Amino acid sequence: TLHLARRRPRPRIRLPEHLAMKTYIPAEIAVAMPAYRAAAALPRAVESVLRQTFRDLEVWIVDDGSPDETGAIADGLVRQDARVRVIHQRNDGCYQARLRAFRRTRSPWVGTVDADDEAAPTLYERLHAFATEHNLDVAQCDTVGSPSREPELFLNREEAFRGVIEPKLFRGEGAFVVWDKLYRNRFDFDTYARVPILMFEDIALNLQLFEHVERVGLLHEGLYLYDINAGSSVRNYREKSFLDFMRVDALRREMAPRYGLSPDDVVFDAWVIKNARNHLVLASLAPAPSWGERLANVLRIVRNDRIRAAAKRVRPAPELRLAFRFPRLTILLLRLAKRLRH
């Protein structure tokens, strides 16, 4: 009797998702949408992108390990519109979620919308037209309700650095977010730092997105509807919030030479002091089991070596100066100020 050896099955080669999806043709614009506990708001946010007057786009929903129905709702949205795609990941935060979506797409332009916000119908039509007309690397709009004014153009690296990158990204003048921008896709997201953060993800991403940017345009039209969520991490203090703050400060200093700056440049100090003051207010007012925990949070901030060094070069806010000397009194005064405001 002739016995034939059983033929071993060939190992299956797992292709990247954009290659495995035979029908996948990248759109002109890919919109990343991180979603965590966003079951109620997600359909509205996705619909605001799908109803854009600029039709050649795709939405990448990233279910960030949500314990609610966010993942199931996202899967349902895929069946309703072929331009919607879903990635499910463990809870890693917005930074990793956005990066994961950007790595999957092959679109020449990328943007991002938060799952609890909305995009005005002409957001991407206006930003795309503005970017292509002036051959920009980044086009930025304003939030809905902002007064319209003449656009600003920074058409070389020196102008972009002096007018946008240095004051906004390094000095920390005002908020510098990712959701109001359209970026030219350089397809280099695999090289981005794997920073374990939940807060300051906008700065961490922009530090890397702007590394090779030469032409920036500010389109001063209100096109993004930002929803102020009282439960967001930005408005609540946890011990990890302060760790994220220090991690992002370290990333800024690590990347400083790529921007022609020294890691010890005084340009960083204003940002450190401003955010130390913000953390101080949150740590003093945020709910905590005991006075001892609130006091420990305040002490963690005011005893930090980086903050103390920055305070020697930059005059800190009154709350921070007071906290350096009287942490417990600072908590009492901030709580009293909050009650008086309400």
Side-chain angles (χ1 to χ4, degrees):
T1 305
L2 183 64
H3 295 278
L4 299 177
R6 179 173 294 180
R7 188 176 181 179
R8 294 183 180 180
R10 292 181 179 178
R12 297 182 65 182
I13 300 174
R14 186 166 184 173
L15 297 174
E17 182 168 326
H18 66 278
L19 295 179
M21 296 165 58
K22 294 181 180 179
T23 59
Y24 175 54
I25 300 174
E28 179 71 6
I29 298 174
V31 181
M33 185 175 292
Y36 180 75
R37 292 185 183 272
L42 182 62
R44 185 180 71 249
V46 173
E47 177 61 24
S48 76
V49 178
L50 296 179
R51 70 166 184 253
Q52 291 288 301
T53 53
F54 188 94
R55 303 292 298 170
D56 189 12
L57 51 75
E58 58 193 33
V59 185
W60 289 81
I61 304 172
V62 185
D63 169 30
D64 189 26
S66 294
D68 62 1
E69 297 300 312
T70 296
I73 290 173
D75 290 336
L77 292 170
V78 172
R79 294 188 287 271
Q80 296 177 23
D81 196 303
R83 294 176 295 167
V84 180
R85 311 186 189 284
V86 176
I87 301 170
H88 298 280
Q89 68 174 31
R90 67 180 184 180
N91 183 228
D92 249 350
C94 281
Y95 175 77
Q96 297 294 349
R98 286 171 177 144
L99 271 184
R100 191 164 185 182
F102 289 162
R103 289 183 185 123
R104 295 285 185 91
T105 185
R106 309 310 296 168
S107 297
W109 295 92
V110 293
T112 179
V113 172
D114 287 352
D116 56 354
D117 294 342
E118 292 183 60
T122 58
L123 169 67
Y124 287 114
E125 179 183 13
R126 295 292 296 126
L127 285 181
H128 186 267
F130 186 51
T132 52
E133 178 185 356
H134 299 287
N135 192 27
L136 303 175
D137 297 307
V138 179
Q140 175 182 311
C141 68
D142 292 340
T143 54
V144 171
S146 301
S148 296
R149 52 194 174 96
E150 288 297 311
E152 296 178 75
L153 293 170
F154 306 90
L155 300 181
N156 58 58
R157 178 65 174 184
E158 183 180 351
E159 288 182 5
F161 183 81
R162 196 163 14 91
V164 179
I165 297 172
E166 193 268 352
K168 299 291 186 181
L169 193 53
F170 288 100
R171 197 178 297 279
E173 296 177 3
F176 199 59
V177 294
V178 294
W179 38 256
D180 61 355
K181 297 175 179 63
L182 183 65
Y183 303 89
R184 190 183 297 276
N185 192 352
R186 295 181 55 84
F187 304 103
D188 59 349
F189 294 109
D190 286 336
T191 67
Y192 281 32
R194 299 185 179 275
V195 188
I197 58 170
L198 295 177
M199 288 184 69
F200 300 104
E201 72 279 357
D202 294 83
I203 293 176
L205 261 179
N206 276 322
L207 275 170
Q208 298 163 95
L209 284 162
F210 274 80
E211 183 180 352
H212 303 290
V213 164
E214 294 186 358
R215 299 168 69 90
V216 180
L218 307 182
L219 181 66
H220 293 298
E221 297 179 15
L223 299 170
Y224 190 94
L225 183 58
Y226 178 68
D227 181 49
I228 299 176
N229 182 0
S232 69
S233 59
V234 176
R235 289 169 174 78
N236 292 274
Y237 184 87
R238 301 173 182 83
E239 181 178 350
K240 193 178 185 307
S241 305
F242 186 69
L243 296 177
D244 285 350
F245 165 43
M246 300 314 299
R247 288 189 184 110
V248 171
D249 181 52
L251 179 63
R252 290 163 77 245
R253 295 173 190 276
E254 179 184 327
M255 293 195 65
R258 305 187 199 178
Y259 287 87
L261 297 171
S262 165
D264 296 321
D265 196 302
V266 294
V267 72
F268 297 106
D269 294 334
W271 186 86
V272 170
I273 290 295
K274 182 187 78 171
N275 283 283
R277 182 258 183 196
N278 293 342
H279 274 282
L280 175 66
V281 174
L282 291 174
S284 302
L285 301 179
S290 67
W291 267 86
E293 184 171 334
R294 283 186 184 166
L295 185 60
N297 287 338
V298 172
L299 291 175
R300 184 178 295 113
I301 297 168
V302 299
R303 289 178 176 173
N304 183 270
D305 292 340
R306 181 67 74 185
I307 294 170
R308 285 185 173 275
K312 292 179 180 179
R313 295 186 288 267
V314 177
R315 184 173 177 82
E319 299 97 323
L320 193 55
R321 295 202 304 272
L322 185 66
F324 277 129
R325 298 186 62 187
F326 308 108
R328 189 179 291 271
L329 178 61
T330 301
I331 295 176
L332 279 171
L333 292 177
L334 286 170
R335 289 186 66 192
L336 178 61
K338 182 181 180 181
R339 289 186 180 183
L340 291 175
R341 282 197 299 270
H342 294 287

